[in-house]
Amino acid sequence: MPRPCRIDDCPRMALPRRTVCSTHRERIRNWGDPDFTQWTVADDMDVRLLVEQQRVPDGATRLERRLIGVGLSARGMSAAQVAEVVGVDSRTVHRWRASARQTAA
Ligand SMILES: [Zn+2]
């Protein structure tokens, strides 16, 4: 059953197993859409896969980096290891972990 694209006012249907249409997906990939900020766009499917692969693509949004970082932490990686994979300071990883714990509580 196809679902509509989750972007407000988008008339297109989402791609199979995705929450956005192909156009918005490309825009998210490239950070090109002014409707998006780096903090609010993440693709659930991608994040899960990337955590498994311990990989962060060049076009990853800030939120995706954070979700991947938290995912890797949950798998027992040290903050320093996570920081290296995600490409941030290890202090940032500690901050992500702290706020993820708060959200879960
Ligand atoms: Zn769309």
Side-chain angles (χ1 to χ4, degrees):
M1 185 72 182
R3 291 170 303 175
C5 173
R6 71 176 153 89
I7 306 302
D8 286 346
D9 299 326
C10 178
R12 290 174 293 264
M13 299 305 284
L15 292 167
R17 301 187 311 280
R18 300 278 174 188
T19 56
V20 294
C21 66
S22 57
T23 301
H24 276 120
R25 185 166 169 72
E26 280 307 304
R27 288 182 185 173
I28 292 167
R29 275 269 150 84
N30 300 328
W31 298 2
D33 190 321
D35 290 337
F36 294 112
T37 74
Q38 292 183 35
W39 297 105
T40 56
V41 178
D43 186 312
D44 284 346
M45 295 288 292
D46 277 357
V47 168
R48 271 193 299 247
L49 186 69
L50 292 166
V51 166
E52 261 170 49
Q53 296 175 343
Q54 304 189 359
R55 185 170 76 79
V56 176
D58 288 342
T61 64
R62 298 295 289 270
L63 179 61
E64 282 169 336
R65 283 175 200 279
R66 177 181 169 140
L67 291 173
I68 293 165
V70 170
L72 292 173
S73 297
R75 294 185 156 221
M77 270 179 107
S78 74
Q81 286 173 316
V82 173
E84 194 175 321
V85 170
V86 182
V88 298
D89 195 278
S90 61
R91 275 174 305 183
T92 303
V93 176
H94 284 297
R95 201 170 63 237
W96 288 345
R97 289 178 174 186
S99 79
R101 275 195 299 272
Q102 270 182 351
T103 306

